[in-house]
Amino acid sequence: MEKINAPKVVGESVGGMLFGGTLLCHFFPEHISGIFNGFAEEGKVLNLFYQLG
């Protein structure tokens, strides 16, 4: 993003979409639960952080 004089936050957002759940879920839906839900209580732990944020 620095090469095209765009803000870094735009690059971070695009990178998050490309390497995050949006694109991975589209191309590799069978692997999403293994990547984002590593253990059974992970959703509850992440929810706590979501609420704090």
Side-chain angles (χ1 to χ4, degrees):
M1 289 290 137
E2 290 177 357
K3 290 182 180 182
I4 62 171
N5 293 326
K8 289 182 181 181
V9 70
V10 173
E12 292 173 359
S13 297
V14 171
M17 287 187 283
L18 291 178
F19 300 110
T22 304
L23 195 66
L24 287 176
C25 185
H26 182 71
F27 288 108
F28 305 106
E30 65 277 357
H31 297 294
I32 291 302
S33 62
I35 294 171
F36 292 104
N37 295 323
F39 54 95
E41 299 297 319
E42 184 175 7
K44 293 179 183 178
V45 173
L46 289 177
N47 188 32
L48 175 68
F49 287 112
Y50 297 155
Q51 296 300 319
L52 289 174

